[in-house]
Amino acid sequence: MENKVLAVVNGAKITEGDLQGAIMRFPRERQGYLNTYNGKKQLLEEMISFELIYNYAKDSGMENEKEYVDLLERAKKEILTQTAISKVMAQVTVTDSEVTDYYNANQQMFVEPEMVSAKHILVETKEKAEEIISEINAGLSFEEAAQKYSSCPSKDQGGNLGSFSRGQMVPEFEEAAFNLEIGVVSEPVKTQFGYHLIKVEEKIESKAKQFNEVEGMIKNTLLQQRQTFKYSQLNGELREKYTVEIVNE
């Protein structure tokens, strides 16, 4: 595709490729607008202004000013340092077989725990909880009862607590929820918060994640671990090679 020239500022060309490159440096959510006619026109004007100020700065001799020279040296140092780090990190690799071996050796890490999805009603006394059970048995829905009587903020969602695994709730509540049949309202369950009526909506069995579900995560984890080690190793070697003096105030 032809790299169309969009503007010429003091002899310097601004091309379609330059404009697209500038767009790609913006956050993705901003790129949509910048790829429209008005967006491109606005960005081109900004690029022209940039070139004009660049020419002004050169013609004014700012390249020789100490402030510019210091900034330039600092930028060069940062760029060179990042280039060196990138080259060292590029030496670190993780093979497909290493990812597979890690998965096979650590399958217990990739097991989704058993979970339940439940609703509850929280009240202060056992007597009140039993009264609510009577109302539910008489036809009041569990969700309506939660909205009417529960002291938990979840009452606005009909008592819905969402899904949870073992260890996320207090022991008494957890034991009752995981042993309750789906759709059955529990007897009053006492905890440190009061008395609960629990209704389990769904039970999700524990299952192991398949290799293809976690392959990318494992590879990234191993790569980050090795890059951290490589960086630490390089840092140690360079401290042996170059003098380092930490001066206390």
Side-chain angles (χ1 to χ4, degrees), residues 92-106 110 211 215 218-219 222-223 226:
V92 180
T93 59
V94 176
T95 65
D96 291 342
S97 62
E98 287 173 328
V99 176
T100 303
D101 290 344
Y102 186 90
Y103 174 79
N104 291 333
N106 298 278
F110 309 110
F211 176 71
E215 180 182 5
I218 294 173
K219 189 164 189 175
L222 292 177
L223 192 61
R226 293 181 184 183

Side-chain angles (χ1 to χ4, degrees), residues 12-214:
K13 296 177 181 178
I14 300 175
T15 66
E16 182 71 35
D18 296 327
L19 187 65
Q20 286 300 322
I23 291 173
M24 293 304 294
R25 290 194 289 273
F26 280 84
R28 186 175 296 275
E29 59 271 17
R30 179 80 172 137
Q31 291 178 20
Y33 168 72
L34 292 173
N35 272 304
T36 65
Y37 173 80
N38 287 334
K40 287 181 178 180
K41 183 178 179 181
Q42 179 183 330
L43 184 56
L44 179 60
E45 287 296 326
E46 291 178 8
M47 294 175 73
I48 290 170
S49 295
F50 186 89
E51 283 293 329
L52 289 170
I53 295 171
Y54 170 71
N55 279 275
Y56 163 72
K58 287 189 68 176
D59 290 345
S60 299
M62 292 184 188
E63 286 179 294
N64 300 317
E65 292 182 4
K66 185 178 185 302
E67 181 183 3
Y68 169 75
V69 173
D70 290 345
L71 285 171
L72 182 60
E73 286 305 311
R74 191 177 307 146
K76 286 167 64 176
K77 182 177 181 180
E78 290 177 359
I79 293 169
L80 188 58
T81 301
Q82 288 302 321
T83 301
I85 291 173
S86 296
K87 283 184 174 291
V88 171
M89 293 301 105
Q91 299 171 15
V92 180
T93 59
V94 176
T95 65
D96 291 342
S97 62
E98 287 173 328
V99 176
T100 303
D101 290 344
Y102 186 90
Y103 174 79
N104 291 333
N106 298 278
Q107 289 194 25
Q108 74 281 357
M109 294 173 56
F110 309 110
V111 175
E112 293 181 336
E114 176 188 10
M115 301 183 76
V116 296
S117 177
K119 297 176 180 179
H120 85 139
I121 300 169
L122 176 63
V123 293
E124 290 186 1
T125 67
K126 183 178 181 181
E127 291 73 24
K128 186 62 180 178
E130 289 173 341
E131 289 177 15
I132 296 170
I133 290 176
S134 297
E135 289 194 45
I136 291 173
N137 289 338
L140 183 67
S141 75
F142 190 92
E143 293 72 22
E144 289 173 331
Q147 292 174 346
K148 187 175 181 181
Y149 296 113
S150 183
S151 62
C152 178
S154 65
K155 70 179 186 178
D156 294 334
Q157 290 79 45
N160 189 14
L161 295 172
S163 299
F164 52 89
S165 58
R166 294 185 186 275
Q168 292 185 275
M169 300 293 181
V170 293
E172 304 90 343
F173 188 99
E174 177 184 292
E175 182 180 359
F178 276 89
N179 287 303
L180 198 62
E181 294 296 324
I182 294 174
V184 175
V185 178
S186 72
E187 293 297 316
V189 177
K190 187 176 188 296
T191 73
Q192 66 198 69
F193 304 107
Y195 288 84
H196 306 258
L197 298 178
I198 306 169
K199 181 183 177 185
V200 171
E201 300 285 302
E202 182 184 11
K203 289 192 172 185
I204 304 165
E205 296 296 326
S206 172
K207 68 173 183 177
K209 291 184 178 180
Q210 298 300 307
F211 176 71
N212 62 351
E213 296 180 78
V214 295

